Amino acid sequence: MTHALPYVWYPLVFAAAIALFGAMLSSGSHLLVALYVPIVLAALVIVALELRFPERDDWRPGWHDVKADAMFLGVVQVFLPRALAALLALLLAGRTHETAANPWWPYHWPLWAQVIAMVLAVDFLRYWLHRACHSFAPLWRLHEVHHSPAILYTLNTGRFHPLEKALHFGLDTVPFVALGVAPEVIAAYFLLYAVNGFFQHSNVRLRYGFLNYLVGSAETHRWHHARDPRTAYCNFSNTTIVWDLVFGTWYLPKHRLLDIGIPDPGYPKGFWAQMFAPFRRRAGLRRSLKERLADLAVAMLLRWTRLVHGRAIAKAAREPMRAQRALLSAILSRNRSTTFGRKHDFETIEGYGTFAARVPVRGYEALRDYIEAQIERGEPALSAEAPLQYLRTSGTTGKPKDIPLTPSHLRRLRVVHRLSVAAQHRVCPEAFDGSILVITSPAVEGVLPNGKPFGSASGIVAASTPTLVREKFIVPPQVLTIPDSRVKYLLILRLGLAHRDVTYLGSANASTLLTLIALYREHEAKLIADLRQGGFFLADKVPAQVLSSLGRRLGSVPARAEELERLCAGGGERRIADLWPALRMVVTWTCASAGVAASALRQELSSRTHIQELGYVSSEFRGTITLGRRRGSGLPTFDTHFFEFVERDRWDLGEPEFLTLDRIRKGVDYYVIVTTPSGLYRYFINDLVRVTGFLRRTPLLQFVQKGKGVTNITGEKLYESQVLAAVRQAVARIGRTARFVMMLADEPARAYRLYVEVDGGPKPHADRLAQMVDGQLRALNIEYEAKRESGRLAALSAAWLAPGAEEAYKRESVRQGQRENQFKIVALAYKGRIPVDLERLVEQV
């Protein structure tokens, strides 16, 4: 019975309420009596069930909860609808409804059929209003009242702001009264809506089974009340769940542990305080009328982007190979007269099969002669369209790679980037309410012999941000050209500290943001003095043209200086959350080796700040658009780049089978081969991605690691992702957070040595770390286990790195020629093939 009863309560009480309503109507009871008696009795039964069979003990309400929710129920759910109904009656007084001639409502249907029609119609209208409340900041501020409780129980089903309730009334009552729908139909709808709503918010242990696909259940609705806004963006329907299934927002995971409420711990809880809460000035956001209008324009622009381009992408995702085939055909047709196209006879290629047979997979070095012919002689070697500029990145031979970028390709990338920004806005609209601090590399770093500029992919992407959004950027692009990274980051800090209202922080590498806060702690007094007096204490090291571009940005901000001084007086170390209390979103890489720094960054942020995956981005192409629903996963840019994949093991064995987008499987790791509109044909980028799921028929991809993050001393074939997973688990067990991880394969010694930098605090001897990581690797990799068991692979050794080791490693790597803007740490490598002797950075005990 313990297992059966949770499936019984909902259908039993729901059916009883309907039966009582029908019986009272048949016996001649007044319509309002027949409506409210079943509702009240159902509510009492549900409250009794809550007391006897609670879903969670920590959701039991206190007196302050009951008092506030009773006020909401009486004022908003009982008095307000009656007042609005009276007003509606006055407005419609004297009007007659020719129901028989009105084609908009099926008056001739039986009562039960009309009720079902009204449920579906109201839920359709309320579904879109509800989604808008989670997407549009002014509406969310009203709806936030409903999400503010940190518990769910029967009575808080009625916690709505009166203005939002008025919007509901305009959708679930006004149209149907105006159509002349029978009062019995409207009353029956409200009976179903009320009883279902009580169950939705109740703390009763309920299980719905197949009904989760039919009604707006407590099981699905609890996930809609999740504290994390990404998780809560689901299950918007009220009485039925049909429209969530139709529009793809139905969500019900297997696990049941979740936090309820909103991220703001300071949100008021009382009835009267919540009446004014939507109109209060948000902490850290003192916006002028001009700024508020700009915020509104940004929100409208990003929603328009989602509406226009997002719908097209969503439609194409149903048949991605149609877009892929059309794209490949267009690329080959446009470039058939190029040197590369003539050599590979693009003219006669009829489809992917011919293309794959005729054009070999190759890396940059095999294309270098073609690219240099374009640069030095202006020859249309790879693309008929002349490149607009080049994207410079590090090459495997020490000579940089200059990746061509054509105007048409750039136009497509701009659309992709705008869609990405629009997706970020959907996940967290509040991130765009204040100032935006984005750190990228320069879009233009120099000029090639043919007069074409070269620069970084991140700079080009940032320059493609919609103009209205760029107006909110704090850091001018000229600052990003400063060659001394320490001076550059300190100047960025100085500019950013002047703005308390930073709501969005972006950098491809989370380590850059960790460097920012470390520099603040080191130079806190000087930076505060600059804010008080104006200027920058390292102004003499900033190029003159950069200083002149700053205008009044280095003026004094005494109020901000006083605020930071008060923080200093409180003692302890300042976090990023302390510097920018309004921060709501950080956009950075979170996958693979970048996840180590991202985990450390999490400690610097408040629980209200969402970390958003930047997406699979490289100099050669932008691989995915992060949708925000799955951590690290993204929709491939299938309408801009042609994709091929090879399973990791088959590539490593030298037996590749090339697969198109429609043939890859969930949970499998693949090497990526890409063809771009700028002239890269079947380009091997040495990246591994994993299929994490599907959006309609299109696979979602997550970057796993660089292909070179693989070592093999005795046949163990160890992967970087395995090392990172093992280290994360081991470090978590000792209560620390890793900031920098690198493991080196020592081939002569047939052994691995691990180096780890963690945040401050006590830690065990490094030998203990080695034992824990070794044990995890044995569990993760059967070949590693076999080689360790046989003694062919010696025991793992480990060392703790001194604080600041990651930054020292980066500085030394850049000094030796690595490009700072594209610096990435490979967590697994061979000894002797890295630019720094890590033993010099080991912590001295």
Side-chain angles (χ1 to χ4, degrees):
M1 293 300 291
T2 301
H3 295 290
L5 286 175
Y7 291 91
V8 172
W9 301 130
Y10 175 81
L12 182 64
V13 175
F14 202 75
I18 295 172
L20 181 58
F21 174 73
M24 293 183 71
L25 278 184
S26 299
S27 66
S29 298
H30 189 279
L31 183 59
L32 289 179
V33 175
L35 171 62
Y36 280 110
V37 167
I39 290 176
V40 171
L41 290 177
L44 292 173
V45 170
I46 296 169
V47 169
L49 290 173
E50 276 185 329
L51 296 174
R52 181 65 180 84
F53 304 104
E55 173 71 15
R56 286 172 52 166
D57 288 333
D58 59 334
W59 282 359
R60 293 185 186 275
W63 170 242
H64 59 285
D65 299 306
V66 174
K67 183 171 64 174
D69 287 318
M71 286 288 289
F72 273 103
L73 196 63
V75 174
V76 178
Q77 299 295 333
V78 178
F79 171 75
L80 181 62
R82 300 294 296 162
L84 291 173
L87 177 62
L88 180 63
L90 288 174
L91 294 174
L92 296 178
R95 290 188 56 184
T96 60
H97 300 282
E98 300 295 335
T99 58
N102 193 324
W104 298 104
W105 188 256
Y107 303 96
H108 58 284
W109 287 7
L111 176 65
W112 64 266
Q114 290 189 53
V115 173
I116 292 175
M118 183 169 175
V119 167
L120 291 172
V122 172
D123 270 15
F124 178 80
L125 298 173
R126 289 278 298 271
Y127 172 88
W128 289 108
L129 173 62
H130 200 167
R131 282 189 68 166
C133 285
H134 282 259
S135 304
F136 189 44
L139 288 177
W140 167 249
R141 289 177 182 174
L142 294 176
H143 191 58
E144 197 173 19
V145 169
H146 182 66
H147 281 260
S148 61
I151 61 173
L152 285 178
Y153 75 110
T154 304
L155 205 56
N156 65 14
T157 187
R159 189 181 286 244
F160 284 98
H161 194 277
L163 292 180
E164 185 180 2
K165 187 62 182 177
L167 292 175
H168 295 173
F169 187 81
L171 296 181
D172 60 23
T173 303
V174 173
F176 301 93
V177 172
L179 284 172
V181 176
E184 293 81 5
V185 174
I186 297 176
Y189 162 76
F190 278 105
L191 171 74
L192 301 182
Y193 167 73
V195 175
N196 193 72
F198 283 132
F199 269 112
Q200 271 186 334
H201 294 81
S202 72
N203 186 26
V204 182
R205 187 173 186 273
L206 296 168
R207 301 295 179 264
Y208 285 70
F210 73 92
L211 290 177
N212 279 312
Y213 298 91
L214 182 61
V215 302
S217 69
E219 289 189 278
T220 55
H221 196 70
R222 286 163 184 163
W223 287 100
H224 176 74
H225 276 265
R227 188 184 303 275
D228 185 344
R230 296 172 302 163
T231 303
Y233 198 82
C234 65
N235 305 333
F236 296 100
S237 298
N238 288 303
T239 308
T240 177
I241 203 72
V242 167
W243 300 117
D244 285 286
L245 291 166
V246 170
F247 297 112
T249 50
W250 186 92
Y251 179 66
L252 181 61
K254 292 182 179 179
H255 64 95
R256 302 183 183 277
L257 294 177
L258 77 161
D259 292 327
I260 296 296
I262 56 176
D264 185 357
Y267 196 85
K269 302 299 183 184
F271 174 80
W272 291 111
Q274 289 198 348
M275 291 298 98
F276 299 98
F279 314 106
R280 67 176 182 160
R281 179 173 285 168
R282 300 296 164 127
L285 289 177
R286 298 183 179 182
R287 316 291 285 164
S288 66
L289 177 60
K290 179 181 177 181
E291 288 171 325
R292 289 178 183 274
L293 291 174
D295 294 342
L296 179 61
V298 166
M300 292 176 64
L301 170 68
L302 295 177
R303 286 184 175 84
W304 176 254
T305 299
R306 290 207 308 269
L307 180 67
V308 175
H309 298 294
R311 281 188 175 180
I313 290 291
K315 182 179 180 181
R318 295 189 179 98
E319 295 186 68
M321 284 312 298
R322 175 182 291 182
Q324 286 275 274
R325 286 190 289 268
L327 174 67
L328 180 61
S329 176
I331 290 174
L332 297 178
S333 176
R334 282 197 302 265
N335 299 307
R336 60 181 180 269
S337 61
T338 62
T339 306
F340 191 94
R342 292 195 305 272
K343 179 177 179 180
H344 296 88
D345 200 10
F346 281 8
E347 186 76 45
T348 61
I349 292 179
E350 297 179 352
Y352 168 69
T354 316
F355 174 65
R358 196 168 292 170
V359 179
V361 174
R362 65 189 75 201
Y364 184 86
E365 295 307 321
L367 295 175
R368 188 182 288 277
D369 288 344
Y370 292 97
I371 293 172
E372 290 181 351
Q374 287 184 163
I375 294 172
E376 295 170 4
R377 299 189 297 276
E379 178 183 324
L382 290 173
S383 61
E385 187 181 22
L388 181 68
Q389 74 172 86
Y390 290 79
L391 303 176
R392 176 161 286 189
T393 184
S394 301
T396 56
T397 63
K399 191 175 182 181
K401 298 187 294 187
D402 290 316
I403 309 296
L405 179 64
T406 61
S408 61
H409 191 188
L410 177 59
R411 285 195 293 272
R412 286 301 312 161
L413 289 176
R414 283 174 173 157
V415 172
V416 168
H417 180 62
R418 290 182 180 185
L419 271 172
S420 180
V421 175
Q424 294 167 13
H425 181 268
R426 188 193 68 178
V427 170
C428 185
E430 297 86 357
F432 294 82
D433 285 349
S435 296
I436 295 175
L437 179 54
V438 174
I439 304 172
T440 66
S441 298
V444 176
E445 300 178 39
V447 178
L448 294 169
N450 64 351
K452 296 294 177 72
F454 66 85
S456 71
S458 62
I460 290 290
V461 166
S464 300
T465 303
T467 305
L468 279 173
V469 180
R470 283 207 311 276
E471 290 295 322
K472 298 161 76 69
F473 281 20
I474 291 172
V475 180
Q478 295 87 342
V479 171
L480 304 172
T481 65
I482 298 175
D484 187 324
S485 61
R486 190 175 180 84
V487 174
K488 176 173 65 178
Y489 291 149
L490 281 166
L491 180 54
I492 290 171
L493 254 181
R494 167 65 178 88
L495 295 169
L497 289 171
H499 296 261
R500 189 181 191 273
D501 69 336
V502 172
T503 52
Y504 181 113
L505 186 57
S507 174
N509 285 296
S511 60
T512 299
L513 304 179
L514 293 174
T515 298
L516 276 188
I517 190 63
L519 287 171
Y520 177 81
R521 290 164 183 159
E522 183 182 347
H523 300 281
E524 185 172 48
K526 293 178 181 178
L527 289 165
I528 292 176
D530 285 345
L531 289 170
R532 186 187 306 106
Q533 302 162 6
F536 176 49
F537 71 97
L538 292 177
D540 59 320
K541 298 184 182 300
V542 178
Q545 68 273 20
V546 175
L547 273 179
S548 64
S549 71
L550 297 177
R552 299 179 179 177
R553 287 185 171 92
L554 295 180
S556 63
V557 194
R560 187 74 169 118
E562 289 176 11
E563 180 184 10
L564 293 174
E565 283 177 335
R566 286 195 297 272
L567 283 174
C568 292
E573 283 189 336
R574 256 57 64 205
R575 301 186 305 153
I576 290 175
D578 300 320
L579 303 187
W580 295 298
L583 186 62
R584 291 295 176 267
M585 176 178 277
V586 173
V587 180
T588 190
W589 282 323
T590 64
C591 299
S593 58
V596 175
S599 296
L601 179 63
R602 177 76 266 174
Q603 311 304 313
E604 299 287 346
L605 306 173
S606 79
S607 60
R608 294 173 291 169
T609 303
H610 167 62
I611 298 182
Q612 174 84 348
E613 165 63 32
L614 176 61
Y616 177 30
V617 182
S618 67
S619 296
E620 288 81 358
F621 78 118
R622 175 157 192 161
T624 64
I625 302 171
T626 303
L627 301 177
R629 295 184 183 180
R630 298 170 184 257
R631 182 175 176 83
S633 301
L635 188 72
T637 52
F638 58 85
D639 64 339
T640 303
H641 307 102
F642 186 81
F643 290 87
E644 296 174 74
F645 304 87
V646 179
E647 286 191 33
R648 176 170 68 179
D649 291 341
R650 292 186 68 97
W651 181 272
D652 292 343
L653 290 171
E655 301 172 356
E657 178 187 6
F658 297 97
L659 307 172
T660 47
L661 204 59
D662 58 329
R663 296 180 61 196
I664 56 179
R665 297 173 290 123
K666 183 178 179 180
V668 180
D669 292 353
Y670 297 93
Y671 282 98
V672 177
I673 296 99
V674 66
T675 296
T676 77
S678 291
L680 302 183
Y681 305 101
R682 305 200 76 200
Y683 186 87
F684 182 71
I685 196 170
N686 195 33
D687 284 347
L688 280 164
V689 297
R690 179 172 299 147
V691 180
T692 60
F694 289 83
L695 177 66
R696 295 183 170 89
R697 295 183 180 178
T698 302
L700 299 175
L701 306 179
Q702 180 184 69
F703 177 73
V704 175
Q705 66 183 51
K706 294 296 293 182
K708 63 183 178 182
V710 181
T711 55
N712 191 358
I713 300 176
T714 62
E716 72 281 2
K717 200 160 55 178
L718 193 61
Y719 290 93
E720 180 185 58
S721 55
Q722 295 170 341
V723 172
L724 290 171
V727 173
R728 283 195 191 100
Q729 291 184 50
V731 171
R733 284 171 60 187
I734 64 174
R736 302 268 67 83
T737 301
R739 289 181 173 268
F740 176 47
V741 174
M742 183 165 284
M743 191 154 92
L744 301 181
D746 188 339
E747 292 172 281
R750 298 197 311 278
Y752 287 89
R753 183 158 174 79
L754 174 67
Y755 301 88
V756 179
E757 178 190 353
V758 294
D759 56 1
K763 47 188 177 288
H765 194 277
D767 289 347
R768 175 60 179 149
L769 172 68
Q771 292 170 5
M772 289 191 290
V773 173
D774 185 68
Q776 292 291 340
L777 289 175
R778 286 184 175 215
L780 291 169
N781 187 316
I782 58 173
E783 292 295 338
Y784 180 91
E785 161 65 15
K787 303 306 183 291
R788 286 284 292 113
E789 185 66 29
S790 66
R792 285 173 286 177
L793 194 63
L796 173 72
S797 65
W800 295 112
L801 294 174
E806 190 265 351
E807 184 60 21
Y809 181 91
K810 179 178 178 180
R811 283 199 305 270
E812 181 61 17
S813 299
V814 171
R815 191 188 68 79
Q816 294 189 29
Q818 285 200 28
R819 292 169 58 78
E820 180 188 352
N821 56 308
Q822 287 145 0
F823 176 79
K824 292 180 184 177
I825 291 173
V826 177
L828 179 64
Y830 288 95
K831 184 179 179 181
R833 301 184 193 178
I834 61 170
V836 179
D837 180 6
L838 289 176
E839 290 296 329
R840 298 196 341 247
L841 303 178
V842 171
E843 188 176 58
Q844 301 301 314
V845 180

